[in-house]
């Protein structure tokens, strides 16, 4: 008597998949790649560097021509090679700050932020990575521009009362302070883009904070101006790279601390909204 035996079933095997882990280094690498894949990054960084160097050289050339003609404008009377060569900082900060806004708000505009947050479910590492990557890039561009502007501009005013070299007291600190200021402005732009999720809104708030509000403060009583004006982001940052300070201005260290507090406040607001609300 024969018995039928069913063939033994072969165990099912599932194809092995590589185990991918979301790590801080990988998130940083992803944000680095995304930053340099955009054409606007190269254009805006180039403009920021151009503004910083070109306007510094224009200010130095004008000072040299007016000194030679004997009709020196009163605004240039107390100028130094540092103040002349860093004249373009106010223009470079707009380029770097606007690019910082685009780094985060641009992803909300295009909708790619959903894919980014799906890959990094914890969300906040995305914000920290964007801030670190772009902050370091803005710091490098700002520092490079400050040194190039000074090295070229100091040659223009070499035999004038404003002449200075890198060995003069405070010069190196001022140039590094200008680069650090531009780096923090870039981080503030990143935070505003993540907080407002709108390119137009982020740029508007950035321009208001850096340029409009300091002008409006001049309408307040003088006693209020002395208390409020030094603590504004732009004025606190300016004290980081000024050679001389009047009685109402902050010291370089205090100015850097105040600007760092503004940066931390903007990042805290962006982190709260990113963690609490949907993309």
């Amino acid at each position: 008597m024969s018995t039928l035996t069913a063939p033994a079933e072969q165990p099912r095997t599932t194809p092995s998949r590589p185990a991918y882990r979301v790590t801080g280094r990988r998130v940083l690498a992803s944000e680095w790649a995304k930053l340099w894949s955009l054409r606007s990054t190269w254009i805006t960084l180039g403009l920021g560097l151009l503004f910083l160097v070109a306007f510094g050289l224009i200010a130095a050339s004008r000072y040299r021509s007016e000194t030679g003609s004997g009709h020196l404008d009163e605004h240039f009377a107390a100028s130094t090679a540092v103040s002349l060569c860093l004249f373009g900082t106010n223009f470079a900060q707009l380029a770097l700050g606007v690019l910082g806004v685009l780094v985060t708000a641009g992803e909300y505009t295009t909708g790619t932020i959903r894919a980014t947050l799906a890959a990094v479910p914890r969300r906040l590492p995305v914000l920290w990575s964007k801030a670190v990557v772009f902050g370091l890039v803005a710091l490098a561009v700002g520092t490079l521009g400050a040194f190039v502007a000074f090295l070229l501009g100091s040659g223009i005013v070499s035999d004038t009362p404003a002449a200075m070299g890198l060995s003069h007291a405070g010069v190196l600190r001022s140039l590094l302070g200008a680069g650090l200021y531009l780096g923090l402005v870039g981080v503030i732009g990143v935070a505003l883009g993540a907080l407002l999720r709108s390119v137009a809104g982020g740029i508007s708030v950035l321009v208001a904070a850096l340029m409009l509000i300091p002008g409006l403060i001049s309408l307040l009583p003088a006693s209020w101006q002395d208390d409020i004006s030094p603590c504004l982001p732009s004025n606190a940052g300016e004290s980081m790279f000024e050679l001389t300070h009047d009685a109402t201005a902050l010291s370089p260290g205090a100015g850097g601390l105040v600007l760092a507090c503004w940066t931390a406040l903007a990042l805290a607001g962006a982190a709260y909204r990113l963690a609490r609300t949907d993309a």
Side-chain angles (χ1 to χ4, degrees):
M1 182 176 180
S2 61
T3 58
L4 298 176
T5 57
E9 294 184 358
Q10 296 294 328
R12 295 181 179 179
T13 59
T14 57
S16 59
R17 296 180 180 178
Y20 292 109
R21 293 181 56 194
V22 178
T23 63
R25 183 178 64 84
R26 285 174 174 167
V27 178
L28 285 170
S30 172
E31 295 303 328
W32 176 267
K34 285 194 291 185
L35 176 65
W36 294 110
S37 65
L38 299 175
R39 185 183 303 174
S40 59
T41 299
W42 298 92
I43 295 174
T44 312
L45 288 179
L47 286 176
L49 187 60
L50 177 64
F51 290 158
L52 188 55
V53 175
F55 283 103
L57 296 182
I58 291 173
S61 299
R62 181 180 173 186
Y63 176 87
R64 175 61 182 265
S65 64
E66 292 189 2
T67 302
S69 64
H71 301 286
L72 184 62
D73 192 291
E74 60 179 5
H75 297 291
F76 285 110
S79 295
T80 63
V82 172
S83 63
L84 292 170
C85 296
L86 295 182
F87 181 78
T89 305
N90 290 332
F91 302 95
Q93 70 179 356
L94 291 180
L96 296 177
V98 166
L99 182 56
V101 172
L102 291 173
V103 166
T104 47
E107 287 203 46
Y108 284 95
T109 301
T110 60
T112 55
I113 189 65
R114 298 185 183 89
T116 299
L117 297 182
V120 188
R122 294 178 61 185
R123 295 191 173 193
L124 291 185
V126 174
L127 177 62
W128 309 142
S129 298
K130 288 181 182 293
V132 169
V133 167
F134 185 70
L136 291 177
V137 170
L139 170 65
V141 171
T143 304
L144 174 63
F147 274 89
V148 170
F150 179 78
L151 292 176
L152 297 178
S154 59
I156 297 176
V157 298
S158 57
D159 53 353
T160 65
M164 278 186 167
L166 285 174
S167 59
H168 281 74
V171 171
L172 191 60
R173 187 264 306 163
S174 296
L175 298 179
L176 293 175
L180 180 58
Y181 170 62
L182 293 174
L184 290 176
V185 168
V187 175
I188 291 175
V190 170
L192 289 177
L195 176 62
L196 301 175
R197 301 183 176 183
S198 167
V199 173
I203 293 175
S204 298
V205 173
L206 180 74
V207 173
L210 296 180
M211 304 189 71
L212 297 183
I213 294 179
L216 295 176
I217 292 296
S218 62
L219 301 177
L220 297 176
S223 59
W224 291 19
Q225 294 181 37
D226 295 341
D227 295 332
I228 298 175
S229 182
C231 296
L232 296 177
S234 56
N235 293 339
E238 187 176 351
S239 66
M240 296 169 61
F241 56 86
E242 282 189 335
L243 275 180
T244 59
H245 301 79
D246 56 30
T248 61
L250 299 175
S251 65
L257 182 60
V258 169
L259 185 60
C261 290
W262 281 111
T263 306
L265 181 62
L267 284 173
Y272 180 83
R273 186 172 188 192
L274 182 61
R276 296 286 181 175
T277 61
D278 295 332

